[in-house]
Amino acid sequence: MNELPLTRDPAALRTRAKALRRHVLRMAEIVGQGYVGQGLGIADVLTVIYFSELRTRPAEPGWVDRDRFVLSTGHYAIGLYAALAEAGIIPVAELATYGADGSRLEMSAPETTPGVEMTGGSLGHGLAQSVGMALGLRLQGRDARVFNLLSDGECQEGSTWEAALAGAHHRLDRLIAIIDCNNQQADGAPAKVMGLEPLHEKWAAFGWHTQRVNGNDIPALLAAFTQIRATPGKPHAIVVDTLMGKGVKTFEEREKNHFIRVAPEEWALANRQLEESA
Amino acid sequence: MSTPPRGVTGNILTSDAAGAARTETAPFGHALVRAAEQDPRIVGLTADLGKYTDIHVFAEKFPARFFQMGMAEQSLVGAACGLARTGCVPFATTYGVFATRRAYDFIAIGAALGRANVKIIAGLPGLTTGYGGTHQAIEDLALMRSIPGLTVIDPCDATETAQATAAIALHDGPVYMRLLRGVVPVTLEPHNKFEIGKARLLLDGTDVAYISTGLMTTRTLEAARILAATGIKAAVLHVSTLKPFDRAAVGALLSRVPRVVTAENHVVTGGLASAVADLAVDERLAIRLKRVGIPDCFCESGSLPYLAERYAMTAAHLVKAAQEILK
């Protein structure tokens, strides 16, 4: 069975990221609200992971030697489904069922859906399970890597730091944590809810090879992953600063946007802004 | 209540083996090694309690298959779930209090909702430690029994601990098993083989039914022998799997012998007694029930004989409970 072809061409990846964003907008429009801000903000990161880094076989989601993408933040499902559809792991047509009663594309991704490695949503699980996956894959002599996407707010969970200790202690250099800093958690900005900075220094102090890049800058993301391949012996953290709602001006500018409510007449404008965006 | 015997708390390795005619050392650790020799998928983890949960036996034999996770129970259970997702069969050990109180969400969501093939092995069940409320897992069965899809086991002795270890290694699904560690008494006959989900009638009788789990079955067997000498015929049904609960075997006994004494090394709410009462209500069985176990309180620290006496959980208390229910 064929592996998903990967590319390091920024222009091709930008085109793909825009396709992801179109899916995200369509899904959000159908349910009328939701995590559209997160889905748009993380689209570049997901694009680089799925179309430049992750070894998968779309027709065989359970391939034992696949790289694992573990989504801690279950509510980013809207972005993940868009990536899975673009990768051919789930049908594009199924995206129309996002959040509908009886759909397998629940608002928070369940692991019963193809391509979803773990049920996230209860925050603080993803890194611990990723540590276990990396331990298991190494024990079995597989060279697969484990990518865990977690959020800035999730760094308030003690279990994240328990797992960070374990990743460094066991020298899991095929484990990559991507910490999405969109500066927005349920009750507001982390600086007001529970301060997290300096995140780069915290991960580095825990023994991780750490980088901090603009998560909406595709060449910067590509360079970060190149750096990871050149740095053995430690687990890797990339702190990515992203803009919620990226690509749709009206959503980028919204003040409180953890869970966006959108008036019906706003969708046409949002679609237009996305097509006009760079 | 008679005056409890005065002893000393002893060290953390206090076991219930004092006075036992036969004992085995580290039955779980040795059984896990035997299972792992057959099945290369088996791996072990602990949260800084390798020596105190007998998994050090496995760690010494299979160092590459053993992962120390440090004093971090959420990480312990989370990593075990991740290992299971790569096809490993992880056995993760800590004390029951830490597994169930600290890592509850990781067991419920990571292991049970995720159907991860993880075995949580939980030391110091009930009153098997001289330490007090911080270390005595008195409500773990209630917590674990309420999680959908989780298998919950409380073995009686060294023989059953070894048999259950072998059985859960072959079982595909998440399991919570209480651990009797260190020097463990042998009280069950080996032919009386453990099967997941099967209650076993160890002794038949028509006057009163003891339904017991875990190490309390050693005491219900002793109580039945004392009663036999007075002409009272007591049945002993051993329910080492709390979940799935053997409704057929328990229901059949309740129908035949409606005077019932439950016995568990656990608070009397949410565990075995509650499962029996639920079944009686569901099946409309008119029973009289006396519940022997830990009352609704955190317990003192003390020597194990002192604690058993203090909280009315000895064979003598079980005899008394049967006599009262027969009045």
Side-chain angles (χ1 to χ4, degrees):
Chain A
M1 260 181 260
N2 292 335
E3 282 187 37
L4 187 69
L6 301 175
T7 177
R8 297 183 59 77
D9 172 16
L13 291 167
R14 271 191 207 100
T15 304
R16 187 73 80 171
K18 188 167 266 192
L20 258 68
R21 289 192 165 93
R22 284 195 195 100
H23 292 314
V24 167
L25 268 192
R26 202 159 308 130
M27 282 185 267
E29 184 173 358
I30 289 167
V31 294
Q33 58 186 23
Y35 298 109
V36 63
Q38 288 87 341
L40 293 170
I42 205 65
D44 299 307
V45 169
L46 288 173
T47 297
V48 171
I49 291 172
Y50 269 86
F51 299 95
S52 184
E53 289 292 325
L54 205 68
R55 293 185 58 200
T56 56
R57 290 178 177 173
E60 191 187 357
W63 176 38
V64 290
D65 285 310
R66 72 189 181 282
D67 289 336
R68 271 69 171 174
F69 174 72
V70 178
L71 181 66
S72 279
T73 46
H75 61 287
Y76 282 40
I78 189 168
L80 176 60
Y81 298 148
L84 292 175
E86 276 296 300
I89 295 170
I90 59 172
V92 170
E94 192 173 347
L95 296 180
T97 70
Y98 168 70
D101 291 346
S103 168
R104 59 182 185 170
L105 305 189
E106 296 177 14
M107 294 272 274
S108 187
E111 63 200 81
T112 43
T113 301
V116 180
E117 296 283 355
M118 182 201 86
T119 302
S122 175
L123 300 179
H125 285 236
L127 193 60
Q129 292 219 23
S130 298
V131 163
M133 289 180 201
L135 286 171
L137 292 166
R138 184 171 71 187
L139 181 66
Q140 293 159 22
R142 303 184 196 282
D143 64 0
R145 298 193 292 170
V146 182
F147 297 73
N148 173 218
L149 178 62
L150 56 162
S151 66
D152 45 2
E154 200 170 355
C155 293
Q156 290 160 358
E157 292 284 359
S159 57
T160 295
W161 299 106
E162 289 186 5
L165 285 173
H169 179 81
H170 291 287
R171 300 179 187 281
L172 297 174
D173 60 3
R174 306 189 76 74
L175 172 61
I176 300 163
I178 300 121
I179 301 103
D180 178 30
C181 288
N182 59 23
N183 206 30
Q184 198 64 235
Q185 56 186 118
D187 274 347
K192 287 190 178 157
V193 176
M194 182 56 63
L196 289 165
E197 298 295 350
L199 268 175
H200 184 291
E201 287 83 345
K202 284 193 173 81
W203 284 90
F206 271 69
W208 289 57
H209 164 232
T210 309
Q211 305 173 75
R212 186 160 193 162
V213 303
N214 177 348
N216 295 121
D217 180 340
I218 284 174
L221 289 166
L222 289 170
F225 283 109
T226 301
Q227 191 62 42
I228 281 171
R229 288 177 195 278
T231 314
K234 288 176 165 190
H236 310 276
I238 313 179
V239 180
V240 293
D241 292 293
T242 63
L243 182 61
M244 288 190 71
K246 175 73 182 175
V248 176
K249 207 159 178 297
T250 175
F251 294 160
E252 287 176 10
E253 288 166 353
R254 223 161 265 211
E255 208 172 330
K256 289 181 181 173
N257 51 3
H258 174 78
F259 189 89
I260 286 183
R261 292 178 197 285
V262 185
E265 64 277 9
E266 286 184 283
W267 291 105
L269 174 66
N271 282 305
R272 202 161 58 242
Q273 288 180 342
L274 175 62
E275 294 311 323
E276 287 163 2
S277 70
Chain B
M1 199 174 81
S2 56
T3 311
R6 289 198 175 271
V8 293
T9 298
N11 65 23
I12 199 162
L13 289 173
T14 305
S15 87
D16 196 36
R22 290 164 59 206
T23 59
E24 277 180 25
T25 302
F28 159 70
H30 292 291
L32 185 60
V33 165
R34 287 193 295 275
E37 281 166 346
Q38 303 296 314
D39 187 346
R41 299 175 306 156
I42 291 175
V43 297
L45 306 87
T46 193
D48 193 33
L49 287 171
K51 278 186 284 187
Y52 301 98
T53 57
D54 291 348
I55 201 168
H56 66 289
V57 180
F58 172 90
E60 284 155 20
K61 181 86 181 175
F62 298 106
R65 290 159 67 179
F66 176 74
F67 305 109
Q68 175 60 261
M69 300 309 293
M71 206 184 291
E73 292 75 19
Q74 298 177 102
S75 180
L76 171 80
V77 177
C81 294
L83 278 156
R85 289 168 190 285
T86 67
C88 294
V89 181
F91 279 70
T93 72
T94 178
Y95 290 157
V97 284
F98 305 136
T100 62
R101 293 175 187 161
R102 288 211 168 211
Y104 183 88
D105 187 39
F106 291 73
I107 297 176
I109 300 304
L113 183 147
R115 300 293 306 151
N117 193 13
V118 167
K119 321 301 169 187
I120 313 288
I121 309 297
L124 307 190
L127 302 182
T128 58
T129 169
Y131 281 49
T134 55
H135 283 61
Q136 296 159 342
I138 60 171
E139 85 290 16
D140 60 328
L141 297 177
L143 289 167
M144 295 296 100
R145 206 167 69 83
S146 60
I147 297 176
L150 187 66
T151 295
V152 182
I153 298 169
D154 186 9
C156 170
D157 73 340
T159 303
E160 193 172 45
T161 298
Q163 291 176 346
T165 302
I168 65 175
L170 295 173
H171 171 77
D172 184 14
V175 175
Y176 176 84
M177 184 172 91
R178 281 179 147 196
L179 172 70
L180 300 172
R181 58 92 195 262
V183 180
V184 181
V186 176
T187 57
L188 297 180
E189 298 300 328
H191 67 263
N192 226 314
K193 196 143 170 50
F194 171 85
E195 266 184 75
I196 295 172
K198 293 280 179 210
R200 285 168 293 161
L201 194 64
L202 301 179
L203 202 62
D204 204 1
T206 48
D207 297 325
V208 63
Y210 284 119
I211 301 178
S212 52
T213 185
L215 60 78
M216 290 303 282
T217 294
T218 300
R219 299 178 195 171
T220 52
L221 284 169
E222 192 187 336
R225 279 192 288 273
I226 296 167
L227 286 174
T230 70
I232 295 169
K233 295 185 181 68
V236 174
L237 184 69
H238 177 47
V239 187
S240 43
T241 311
L242 276 296
K243 191 175 186 173
F245 191 60
D246 190 345
R247 295 173 63 91
V250 176
L253 183 61
L254 297 184
S255 307
R256 203 158 52 81
V257 188
R259 291 168 192 252
V260 181
V261 177
T262 55
E264 59 201 303
N265 178 28
H266 183 265
V267 289
V268 292
T269 49
L272 175 68
S274 295
V276 169
D278 284 353
L279 178 64
V281 170
D282 287 347
E283 303 292 327
R284 299 186 183 192
L285 299 169
I287 62 167
R288 289 182 64 186
L289 177 64
K290 265 197 109 61
R291 301 175 295 164
V292 172
I294 300 167
D296 183 20
C297 69
F298 287 105
C299 300
E300 291 175 26
S301 62
S303 66
L304 304 196
Y306 169 84
L307 293 173
E309 189 71 43
R310 171 77 179 78
Y311 297 102
M313 290 166 64
T314 66
H317 291 101
L318 286 161
V319 167
K320 203 169 146 208
Q323 286 165 340
E324 280 170 9
I325 213 165
L326 286 168
K327 273 180 193 163

